[in-house]
Amino acid sequence: MTLHMLRKLGGAIRRCAERDDQQVLINEIVAQLMEDHGPISLTGGALGSLGNFGLQQIAAILSKRESLRWLQLDHNGIGDVAVESLVGVVCANEALQSLDLDSNEIGDAGASTLAEALRATATLRELSLNCNLICAEGAKQLAKALHTNKSLQALHLQGNSIGDEGAGALADMLGFNHSLKTLSLQSSCVGDGGASLLANSLEKNKCLQELSLGCNHLGDAAGRAFGGLLCKNKVLNELRLDHNHIGDVGAISLAEGLCSNDVLQELWLIENPIGTVGIARFSTALKTNHTIQHFAITASKVEVQDKELMKSLHKSLVVRRACEAVRRGEVNLKVSGEDLSGIAAEHLASAIEETDKLRELTLEDCCIADPDAKRLAQALACNGQVAEVALPDNDISNVGAFHLVEVLERSDTMVSLDLAGNPISNTHATDKPQSTSEGDESNGDDSSGDMINGDLASNHTSDEATLADDASDGGDEEYHRVSSLEEYYRDAQETPSVIWHALQ
């Protein structure tokens, strides 16, 4: 359904609310549905909603939409009675893949009715029932249906009161189901008992990839259960345990699980009472775990030691994401305002050496010092494919700049090097190799010269041409002493941020 159509349906709902005439609303919606055959969004709200009567009235036409793939009916005041009309819609539309019933008034009876639809359908992939009135019995019925359903990949039950009993039924289902990949149970009144049952069932489950249990009543017992899970599960890649009551004991178990886990990519633990001991264990674990890409945690105490540990965790994750992006084949890597000094620079350099896809590298204000610049220069020389390098606002002095410019001069692919904002002095004495061949004409007119901070090397004429001509005598490799930037840039308005440039 086009955006224009969605707006017209929304307008129909608002006009109905203004006139307090639901039948007029139904007639207008039916007319609009007859005009278009795309996805259907009938989101209700403060200005109007379908209600039970409205859904029952349009169910017949929805059942005839054989190509319907996506149906959104959230915020419509739909209760258990009207859900019965949806069974026909789900069963009749073999193309239907997503059904959104968030924020309605569906209880256990409605959930049981939807369970019947799940038994009958072989195409529905996502069912969203967030923020309804479903309790343990409704969760049990849905779980039973998923024992045999082979199509549903995502079930969202956030904001329902299923409790440990409902979570236990879903845990039992995970021992039989081989299609469900996402299970969302945030704010579902689940405690340690239900969470432990889920963790135990996932030790053998080979399908579920995302589990969300944020904003529940989980404590250290749940933390220990999921720590044990991480040692065995080889499928789960996202686990959300945020806004719970997991302390250091549970955190230690989770950290130990991470040491042997090579699958999990996201772990969310913000707003849990985890202290210095737990954070320290995570810091150690992440030094050996190389798969975690997103790790969210908050310290229960704001102490100096905690802050340092949090910084260490953050730094390791930043460089990990950067290295992963490079190894994944990203063409452009840009990192700004992070600490990539020391071991972080070493890891990133190793990743650069392993790829042949990277073309642009930007590391702005990343605390890169001379040893880091030297290591990055080695990696860039080994890589041989990066064309543009920008390292502005770091801590690179003349020493580090020399190694980077040396790569620039020798490279056939690197065309620009930006070192603006680094503490590079105006004078520096060094021996520079300059290779020319007899008969070469270096008159400064070659527009293909290397770029440094946006200035073509060939744009610097008189002094450069003189030096190049002197270097061509005899045809052998000569060495020139660069004693001052002013030798090359006497007419410049401001001092360039690098000392050397390639003379072709």
Side-chain angles (χ1 to χ4, degrees):
M1 180 167 290
T2 64
L3 179 61
H4 176 65
M5 289 293 296
L6 295 179
R7 288 173 175 170
K8 291 175 73 175
L9 287 171
I13 292 177
R14 287 192 293 273
R15 287 192 296 276
C16 169
E18 293 168 358
R19 293 194 296 261
D20 194 24
D21 187 348
Q22 193 171 35
Q23 189 58 56
V24 174
L25 164 66
I26 302 306
N27 293 339
E28 290 194 29
I29 290 178
V30 169
Q32 302 296 343
L33 290 176
M34 296 294 291
E35 295 180 14
D36 192 88
H37 297 281
I40 297 176
S41 175
L42 293 172
T43 298
L47 294 177
S49 60
L50 286 172
N52 291 330
F53 176 75
L55 179 58
Q56 290 170 333
Q57 292 296 304
I58 67 172
I61 189 171
L62 291 175
S63 299
K64 297 177 182 179
R65 295 284 296 276
E66 297 180 356
S67 61
L68 181 63
R69 300 180 63 185
W70 176 66
L71 178 58
Q72 185 173 354
L73 295 167
D74 59 296
H75 295 85
N76 268 298
I78 298 171
D80 293 339
V81 175
V83 170
E84 294 181 4
S85 61
L86 283 175
V87 175
V89 176
V90 174
C91 296
N93 290 276
E94 296 182 356
L96 186 64
Q97 296 182 5
S98 177
L99 177 59
D100 183 350
L101 293 168
D102 289 352
S103 301
N104 281 291
E105 300 171 5
I106 301 171
D108 288 343
S112 298
T113 302
L114 288 169
E116 295 177 11
L118 287 176
R119 293 186 180 94
T121 181
T123 58
L124 192 67
R125 296 183 180 180
E126 181 175 15
L127 175 60
S128 189
L129 292 165
N130 294 329
C131 301
N132 276 281
L133 306 176
I134 300 171
C135 297
E137 185 59 34
K140 288 181 180 179
Q141 296 303 318
L142 291 169
K144 287 180 181 179
L146 291 177
H147 276 254
T148 55
N149 179 284
K150 298 180 180 180
S151 65
L152 199 72
Q153 298 180 8
L155 176 62
H156 304 282
L157 291 172
Q158 174 180 340
N160 289 281
S161 302
I162 69 169
D164 285 345
E165 189 177 354
L170 292 168
D172 183 59
M173 172 272 297
L174 291 173
F176 299 90
N177 182 280
H178 301 292
S179 64
L180 198 67
K181 296 181 179 180
T182 300
L183 179 59
S184 301
L185 300 175
Q186 302 102 304
S187 302
S188 296
C189 303
V190 179
D192 284 339
S196 297
L197 291 173
L198 286 166
N200 292 337
S201 69
L202 288 176
E203 290 183 2
K204 298 180 180 180
N205 181 280
K206 297 181 179 180
C207 188
L208 197 74
Q209 298 177 4
E210 300 177 13
L211 176 62
S212 300
L213 283 166
C215 301
N216 279 291
H217 310 301
L218 313 188
D220 286 331
R224 288 195 295 268
F226 280 107
L229 166 67
L230 294 180
C231 294
K232 302 176 182 180
N233 183 279
K234 300 300 180 183
V235 180
L236 195 68
N237 58 43
E238 181 178 333
L239 178 60
R240 290 178 176 262
L241 303 174
D242 53 285
H243 295 85
N244 280 289
H245 310 290
I246 301 172
D248 284 340
V249 174
I252 291 173
S253 295
L254 287 166
E256 290 175 351
L258 287 180
C259 291
S260 57
N261 185 282
D262 58 358
V263 178
L264 194 70
Q265 297 181 12
E266 297 188 27
L267 178 58
W268 295 77
L269 290 167
I270 58 175
E271 297 301 327
N272 279 281
I274 299 174
T276 303
V277 175
I279 295 175
R281 288 296 184 93
F282 279 121
S283 180
T284 301
L286 290 177
K287 292 178 181 178
T288 57
N289 179 292
H290 299 294
T291 56
I292 284 286
Q293 300 298 315
H294 300 279
F295 179 81
I297 189 172
T298 48
S300 60
K301 298 179 181 179
V302 185
E303 298 178 354
V304 174
Q305 186 177 3
D306 292 336
K307 291 181 178 179
E308 292 303 316
L309 286 170
M310 297 292 278
K311 287 181 180 178
S312 175
L313 282 171
H314 179 74
K315 180 177 180 179
S316 66
L317 290 171
V318 167
V319 68
R320 182 172 301 176
R321 287 197 292 270
C323 292
E324 179 64 22
V326 172
R327 293 191 174 99
R328 194 169 54 241
E330 295 291 337
V331 176
N332 185 358
L333 177 66
K334 182 176 182 180
V335 182
S336 178
E338 302 289 355
D339 183 358
L340 294 181
S341 60
I343 189 64
E346 173 61 35
H347 288 317
L348 182 57
S350 297
I352 292 172
E353 290 173 339
E354 296 172 12
T355 184
D356 59 356
K357 305 295 184 182
L358 191 66
R359 297 295 181 269
E360 298 180 22
L361 176 65
T362 302
L363 306 176
E364 180 180 3
D365 188 21
C366 289
C367 305
I368 296 172
D370 288 336
D372 310 318
K374 180 179 179 180
R375 181 65 184 93
L376 288 171
Q378 293 171 346
L380 291 169
C382 176
N383 176 280
Q385 300 296 322
V386 181
E388 300 180 20
V389 178
L391 304 173
D393 301 320
N394 283 289
D395 302 317
I396 303 171
S397 70
N398 298 42
V399 176
F402 171 80
H403 295 289
L404 291 164
V405 177
E406 189 174 35
V407 176
L408 173 68
E409 290 181 338
R410 296 180 178 181
S411 174
D412 294 328
T413 57
M414 190 184 300
V415 297
S416 69
L417 173 62
D418 182 357
L419 295 175
N422 283 280
I424 300 173
S425 62
N426 288 349
T427 59
H428 181 74
T430 185
D431 289 332
K432 280 292 298 157
Q434 185 62 55
S435 177
T436 59
S437 300
E438 189 174 343
D440 286 352
E441 295 181 2
S442 299
N443 55 14
D445 292 330
D446 182 8
S447 61
S448 63
D450 292 321
M451 288 182 63
I452 301 178
N453 290 339
D455 296 324
L456 282 170
S458 59
N459 287 341
H460 309 298
T461 55
S462 58
D463 294 321
E464 296 176 4
T466 302
L467 288 172
D469 289 339
D470 292 342
S472 65
D473 292 340
D476 298 325
E477 185 176 60
E478 297 290 340
Y479 293 85
H480 299 286
R481 182 170 297 278
V482 182
S483 60
S484 173
L485 284 174
E486 282 71 21
E487 286 187 38
Y488 291 161
Y489 300 100
R490 288 194 179 100
D491 298 328
Q493 295 293 326
E494 57 183 356
T495 303
S497 59
V498 294
I499 297 176
W500 309 278
H501 58 275
L503 295 176
Q504 302 295 335

